[in-house]
Amino acid sequence: MDNNLFLFFIIIIPILFVLFAINLFLFYSKLKLKRVIINTLSSTNSKIIDKNRVEHTSIKNSSWLSKKLKYAGFSMKGAEYSFILISIIFSFLISAFIFFIAKSKIIFLFAFLIFIFLPYLFLVKLIKTREEEFNTNLKGMIDKVTSMMKSGVGFEQALKKSILTCKSKLTQDVFNIYINEKAIIGEDKCFEKMFDIIDSKESRIFYLTISIGRKSGGKFSNTLDTLRKTLQDQGEIKQEITSSTKEIRVGTYMIIGLIVFTYIMMNNALNNSLNAHFFGSDIGKIQMFFISLWVAFGIFINNLLRVFIIM
């Protein structure tokens, strides 16, 4: 009976996963056109927007992990080594706890290799949160600067006022580099230092707009107003995509709920034999671990594709 139950789960879970992948692919195909629109709005051939080309000299010599940590706000010396140490300790503690429950060296090894990457996922999430906070406040600042310039206020003065009224400390810290150091190191170097702190495509577009506005004729406020409308349209499209991708998450949780419900019903029908196998035997614990790992992997891929679609 144990073999039949094991075969049941080995068959049903891949089928559910394949159905989920098919639905995800179909949904992704529908959103492909919207992604093209967003990339058209926010991309350019300029070196300023290409974040792989424009980097400050100090960050060029830094490691890949060090760049990520700087984007997340950790710029202290030796931050990458501390992060690696924290990842190892965190993974070991979680794996030891799982080993205490499952009593399996195989599970301990796999758990350690999996959970060692969990702090990095939190790091990526933190970078994304900081980027969203900065971009949201940047759009508000551009609105204020555009309005003040149309009223006759100069760009520098309008920018300073918008920074002072900004509620985000992160955005204030980034733009204070421009305000405080522009007269010393120049505008280009200031923005390069800003790009080291925050990984934002919108900030690169803002810099490009400033450069074009200063060098081209006409009213600078009109150039900023065009940027404001472009970022607003881009934000509306992203919001629409975000709302649409919530359907994927609902479908994912429905599949998980179906699996849990099926397990409970079968366990009751078989007089608690499923619990006895999956939680009372060594081989059952290993099987349950990999089943849970499979489900968690599906959720992770779902969230990863959702973020990729929005970006």
Side-chain angles (χ1 to χ4, degrees):
M1 181 179 294
D2 290 343
N3 292 333
N4 292 334
L5 291 174
F6 178 71
L7 289 175
F8 171 78
F9 278 99
I10 289 298
I11 293 173
I12 197 66
I13 291 180
I15 292 176
L16 292 174
F17 184 79
V18 170
L19 292 175
F20 167 74
I22 292 174
N23 290 326
L24 184 63
F25 174 77
L26 294 175
F27 186 82
Y28 171 77
S29 299
K30 294 180 181 179
L31 295 177
K32 191 173 183 180
L33 179 60
K34 295 180 181 179
R35 289 182 54 215
V36 172
I37 296 174
I38 290 178
N39 290 332
T40 302
L41 291 172
S42 59
S43 63
T44 178
N45 293 327
S46 172
K47 293 182 179 180
I48 297 301
I49 296 183
D50 188 355
K51 60 184 177 183
N52 293 323
R53 295 180 181 179
V54 179
E55 292 180 339
H56 193 255
T57 304
S58 60
I59 203 170
K60 280 184 178 180
N61 298 326
S62 302
S63 64
W64 164 80
L65 180 58
S66 179
K67 296 176 185 178
K68 292 290 185 181
L69 289 169
K70 287 182 179 180
Y71 288 146
F74 304 104
S75 57
M76 67 286 294
K77 185 177 181 181
E80 59 269 28
Y81 301 110
S82 300
F83 179 81
I84 293 174
L85 180 61
I86 291 173
S87 300
I88 294 174
I89 295 175
F90 173 80
S91 179
F92 178 80
L93 292 176
I94 298 296
S95 302
F97 176 76
I98 295 176
F99 177 78
F100 178 77
I101 297 175
K103 305 296 184 182
S104 172
K105 295 181 180 179
I106 297 177
I107 293 179
F108 173 82
L109 178 61
F110 274 92
F112 180 81
L113 295 177
I114 292 170
F115 284 105
I116 197 171
F117 294 102
L118 190 59
Y120 175 73
L121 297 180
F122 283 110
L123 181 67
V124 173
K125 179 64 176 178
L126 179 58
I127 294 174
K128 185 65 179 176
T129 302
R130 283 167 56 90
E131 180 184 351
E132 291 177 353
E133 176 188 345
F134 178 83
N135 290 340
T136 300
N137 287 275
L138 176 61
K139 293 173 185 176
M141 288 177 54
I142 293 175
D143 288 341
K144 295 177 183 178
V145 171
T146 303
S147 299
M148 285 187 282
M149 290 186 66
K150 288 183 177 180
S151 301
V153 181
F155 171 73
E156 302 288 345
Q157 186 177 0
L159 183 61
K160 289 180 180 179
K161 289 182 178 180
S162 64
I163 293 174
L164 292 176
T165 57
C166 181
K167 297 181 180 179
S168 170
K169 187 177 184 303
L170 169 63
T171 309
Q172 286 184 338
D173 292 340
V174 172
F175 274 96
N176 278 336
I177 297 176
Y178 179 85
I179 297 299
N180 299 329
E181 301 183 22
K182 180 192 172 186
I184 302 174
I185 62 177
E187 186 175 79
D188 293 342
K189 293 295 183 180
C190 284
F191 272 98
E192 287 180 5
K193 293 183 68 174
M194 292 164 63
F195 298 156
D196 290 351
I197 298 176
I198 190 73
D199 185 19
S200 169
K201 185 179 292 184
E202 280 78 355
S203 65
R204 301 171 192 276
I205 298 175
F206 179 63
Y207 171 58
L208 180 64
T209 303
I210 293 176
S211 300
I212 295 175
R214 292 184 186 280
K215 295 177 182 179
S216 62
K219 297 184 65 176
F220 187 21
S221 59
N222 292 338
T223 307
L224 286 177
D225 189 53
T226 302
L227 172 62
R228 180 188 64 81
K229 293 178 180 178
T230 300
L231 294 180
Q232 183 178 1
D233 293 340
Q234 176 182 336
E236 292 176 354
I237 295 175
K238 285 186 176 181
Q239 185 62 38
E240 182 179 349
I241 294 177
T242 301
S243 301
S244 301
T245 52
K246 289 181 180 179
E247 299 175 6
I248 299 179
R249 301 182 66 180
V250 173
T252 303
Y253 296 138
M254 289 180 64
I255 293 175
I256 296 174
L258 177 62
I259 295 174
V260 174
F261 177 76
T262 303
Y263 177 88
I264 294 174
M265 295 296 293
M266 292 187 62
N267 182 64
N268 292 333
L270 297 174
N271 297 323
N272 206 38
S273 60
L274 287 181
N275 284 344
H277 172 73
F278 285 111
F279 299 101
S281 64
D282 292 338
I283 185 64
K285 291 177 181 178
I286 295 176
Q287 291 170 356
M288 179 55 70
F289 173 77
F290 282 104
I291 291 172
S292 303
L293 182 62
W294 197 323
V295 174
F297 177 74
I299 296 175
F300 171 73
I301 294 298
N302 173 41
N303 293 330
L304 186 65
L305 288 178
R306 183 172 63 89
V307 173
F308 177 74
I309 290 171
I310 295 174
M311 292 178 63

